[in-house]
Amino acid sequence: MVTDKPGYEHLIQFLTEHLSLFEQTGSGDTDKTIGALLEESIAEQIITLCTQHTELEMNHRSMIIREVDGIMYDFQEVLASVLDKKATRQQAELINEISLLIKNLFDTAIADLMD
């Protein structure tokens, strides 16, 4: 649905271009770890996505969940060394931006699917 599209490749490239942001050390500005923020932020966007697209059938929703699992796996692989560290404000902002981009990829895929 999205992981085999050029937009997803661009998203991974965007993340790798900003990996230096995750090399920052310190206690972090937030109460949450990078891993927890990543999971929560993406989950929020997928819930919003499914709420907005009431026309989705159960098989479409299942397809989205499988894709999100794959996306989470990819991101956890890239960020494995920092998942348990407290996130800085800048890291939290980047994670939020990435989760919005993921939602946009799914919005586009759903629009194509419904045409």
Side-chain angles (χ1 to χ4, degrees):
M1 183 172 233
V2 299
T3 56
D4 60 345
K5 303 287 189 254
Y8 185 68
E9 292 174 27
H10 294 292
L11 181 62
I12 295 295
Q13 183 177 5
F14 177 75
L15 175 61
T16 56
E17 289 171 359
H18 292 85
L19 277 180
S20 61
L21 181 64
F22 292 97
E23 294 171 359
Q24 296 176 1
T25 57
S27 61
D29 302 326
T30 67
D31 292 336
K32 297 184 180 180
T33 64
I34 291 170
L37 275 175
L38 185 64
E39 288 178 15
E40 288 175 15
S41 186
I42 291 174
E44 284 177 19
Q45 292 305 317
I46 298 307
I47 290 168
T48 300
L49 176 86
C50 290
T51 303
Q52 290 173 338
H53 294 280
T54 56
E55 73 278 11
L56 288 173
E57 297 175 10
M58 187 56 73
N59 63 328
H60 297 133
R61 293 174 192 268
S62 296
M63 203 178 344
I64 290 168
I65 298 304
R66 281 192 302 275
E67 291 259 335
V68 170
D69 284 343
I71 291 168
M72 283 302 302
Y73 178 81
D74 290 346
F75 279 69
Q76 288 171 338
E77 285 291 307
V78 172
L79 298 172
S81 64
V82 297
L83 288 175
D84 294 328
K85 294 183 179 180
K86 296 283 187 183
T88 65
R89 188 176 331 107
Q90 292 165 321
Q91 291 165 341
E93 289 171 4
L94 181 64
I95 288 169
N96 185 56
E97 185 175 348
I98 287 170
S99 65
L100 289 169
L101 291 171
I102 290 169
K103 181 185 178 292
N104 286 343
L105 287 174
F106 279 106
D107 280 328
T108 301
I110 291 168
D112 292 344
L113 185 67
M114 296 301 164
D115 282 344

